[in-house]
Amino acid sequence: MTEWLYQFSPSPTLLVLIVLLVALLESLAVIGLLVPGIILLTAAASLAGHQHLPLPLLLTAAFAGATLGDGLSFWLGYSQRERVHRLWPFTRHPEWLARGVKFFKRYGDFSILIGRFVGPVRPIVPMVAGMLHMPTWRFAAVNIVSALLWAPAYLLPGYLLGHSWDKLLALPANSERWLITLAVILIILSVGFSWCRHLLGRGGWVYMRLARFSRATPRRRRLWLALGAAHPRNEIPLASLALLVVSLVALCGWTLWVLEHPAPSLPMDRQIQALLAPLADSWLAEFSTLMALSGDALGIIALALPWLTWLLLSRRIAAFVHISSALVGVGFANLVFKHLAGRARPDTPDYLLGSFSYPSAHTSTSIVLIGLAAAFTAETLPANRRMWVYWGATLVCLPMALSRLVLGVHWTSDLIGGALLGLVGCAITRLSYQRFVHVPLTPCPWASLVVASLLLLAARIAWLPYV
């Protein structure tokens, strides 16, 4: 089917024009809200990669379209400042404009950069910047920088997919079963986690039913009040308790099963390793190397250091102690588990000599770091928006874990054990943290902290590879 669709691919010149036009429309005020830019750009980039269209030309087209689109939006806001709120669709949806104004006032110049990657405000923020008379030279500078970052971020995944699609199709026999099974399991776990957390959170259906059930007799009521009394908000952390029980039981059972089947006797491990072996020479191997460098000890330190420093300097001691302890604790737990299991790796490069396979420290540590970041962020948001934070955390942790399979240094069962260990660490940390009266984590200069983390990580990858 893919080859059949590629037969309808437009000419290279038309593809470049399509990318430029879609990038322009997606960045244009109001119109960008109606254009499915990500889908169209990914499809066009995939077709361009399949035709081996020069990547610099494609990126230049996307950069030009994005810069021009934001520039036109800025000019519209600057020249029609008094009339914008009377134009359609803001007459029917004034909250769209209000959301853009609030976003711009909150983040200032950074809002142009951040808004480029945030769907609901992307086409509105440049127009708001013009309405509020942001200096033109400052807008132009931020607009160019944001477009330079946006173009590769949106086009490279689709381009690389189209460029290497033929190689990806050459998979071992029976691989479709494992791919479909893996995808279904990930979707079920992600949806199930979000759903269960919503039900068990304060105000959720299960939480409210248990609260009503506890009021039926004085004994139940005393027990419920006693459980909630240990927490400042008198809230029983059912979600964290359930996560701890389920993940701990699953970790113990999974570890016992792995210890009874030394690698690679598990059929799942052997077949998935054969499935991913052809990818060792593709661009996915280079991407997996970046993920490996981001998820080892130095990479985690680079990512966490700016945030821990801010927590310490801003006197948010409880959060600082818990996150630091969680990272140290999961590192120690990995050493203990690896020593007890003594499981050999599929492949042991020089920098991993003397290191055992089970569980995957990259997986467990990234889940602790990203999972706790998601939990601390979610508690500052309304309940109906928290699931998006956890879905985002899942999408960040998933490539970190799967990169270990592409590099061939872990079995699939190692990743599952590492994920369960990381979830146990997250649950214990949250249960302990919720017992303290702590300083709110807002306001937080998260834009500056994100930039600092990425700069430290880039320096670590460039200057300290595999030490």
Side-chain angles (χ1 to χ4, degrees), residues 17 85 276:
L17 292 176
H85 68 280
L276 298 177

Side-chain angles (χ1 to χ4, degrees), residues 181-193 391:
T181 302
L182 178 62
V184 170
I185 290 175
L186 290 174
I187 293 173
I188 291 175
L189 289 178
S190 298
V191 174
F193 177 82
W391 273 86

Side-chain angles (χ1 to χ4, degrees), residues 125-333:
V125 170
M127 184 178 65
V128 170
M131 292 173 58
L132 299 181
H133 283 215
M134 178 180 181
T136 304
W137 68 269
R138 276 167 49 193
F139 172 81
V142 180
N143 184 24
I144 291 172
V145 171
S146 64
L148 285 173
L149 297 174
W150 174 86
Y154 270 56
L155 290 183
L156 281 179
Y159 184 88
L160 293 173
L161 179 63
H163 190 73
S164 58
W165 186 254
D166 294 337
K167 295 181 180 179
L168 292 176
L169 288 176
L171 298 175
N174 300 321
S175 60
E176 295 85 355
R177 174 167 59 99
W178 286 110
L179 285 174
I180 295 173
T181 302
L182 178 62
V184 170
I185 290 175
L186 290 174
I187 293 173
I188 291 175
L189 289 178
S190 298
V191 174
F193 177 82
S194 300
W195 185 52
C196 290
R197 196 194 181 288
H198 173 71
L199 293 177
L200 295 171
R202 191 167 194 170
W205 183 83
V206 174
Y207 190 98
M208 298 302 294
R209 290 294 295 268
L210 288 175
R212 286 197 292 268
F213 176 77
S214 68
R215 300 191 192 104
T217 64
R219 185 176 180 181
R220 295 177 193 167
R221 181 177 177 82
R222 286 195 298 270
L223 177 60
W224 182 266
L225 293 176
L227 291 173
H231 301 274
R233 293 177 294 177
N234 295 322
E235 177 183 357
I236 300 176
L238 290 181
S240 298
L241 283 170
L243 177 62
L244 176 61
V245 172
V246 172
S247 56
L248 184 59
V249 171
L251 174 63
C252 294
W254 185 260
T255 302
L256 289 174
W257 190 46
V258 167
L259 293 179
E260 291 179 0
H261 300 82
S265 62
L266 291 175
M268 173 184 67
D269 287 337
R270 294 195 304 270
Q271 294 185 27
I272 293 182
Q273 184 192 29
L275 167 66
L276 298 177
L279 304 180
D281 296 326
S282 68
W283 60 270
L284 284 174
E286 299 179 5
F287 176 75
S288 298
T289 301
L290 292 178
M291 291 292 99
L293 292 171
S294 303
D296 65 1
L298 288 178
I300 293 296
I301 290 173
L303 289 172
L305 186 59
W307 302 86
L308 293 176
T309 303
W310 174 75
L311 289 173
L312 186 60
L313 295 178
S314 61
R315 299 177 183 267
R316 291 166 168 85
I317 304 301
F320 171 81
V321 171
H322 279 84
I323 296 176
S324 302
S325 301
L327 293 175
V328 173
V330 76
F332 178 75

